Amino acid sequence: MINAILFRKTFEAVGGFSDDLPLMEDVDIVRRLRAFGRIVMAEGRMLTSARRWEENGVWANSLGNVSRLYRYFRGASPQMLAKDYPDIR
């Protein structure tokens, strides 16, 4: 329980996820969290949808993600990158 409280306080201290980022919000928050110290893996499990991976396949998703990360680090805006990351919900 203490870890959950600490995680929440740190999340709030860095301003949480940016509301104006349609994509790369996870990369953005990790960059901001680094100012607070070393990043470690939390215990427990997280469940997410496999829809995109099932629909597009592992290779296509992996290559697309690497491509988007590369372009993001080279200065592409998350808004532009989101255009080639369709919502499949």
Side-chain angles (χ1 to χ4, degrees):
M1 185 63 156
I2 294 172
N3 283 340
I5 293 169
L6 178 61
F7 292 148
R8 182 67 187 192
K9 286 185 181 216
T10 304
F11 178 78
E12 290 171 353
V14 298
F17 287 115
S18 233
D19 290 335
D20 62 337
L21 297 179
L23 201 62
M24 300 297 171
E25 70 284 354
D26 53 343
V27 177
D28 174 68
I29 199 168
V30 167
R31 284 178 154 180
R32 289 183 282 130
L33 283 168
R34 285 187 178 147
F36 280 78
R38 191 170 66 99
I39 296 175
V40 298
M41 296 289 287
E43 293 181 20
R45 298 177 121 184
M46 175 72 78
L47 295 177
T48 63
S49 171
R51 242 182 318 221
R52 187 175 305 274
W53 295 89
E54 290 169 345
E55 184 175 306
N56 299 329
V58 173
W59 288 107
N61 275 306
S62 296
L63 290 172
N65 288 341
V66 168
S67 170
R68 280 183 287 280
L69 272 172
Y70 175 78
R71 290 181 286 155
Y72 178 71
F73 288 129
R74 299 281 299 173
S77 74
Q79 290 76 11
M80 187 202 65
L81 296 173
K83 291 178 182 177
D84 77 342
Y85 194 76
D87 187 352
I88 62 168
R89 288 178 269 176

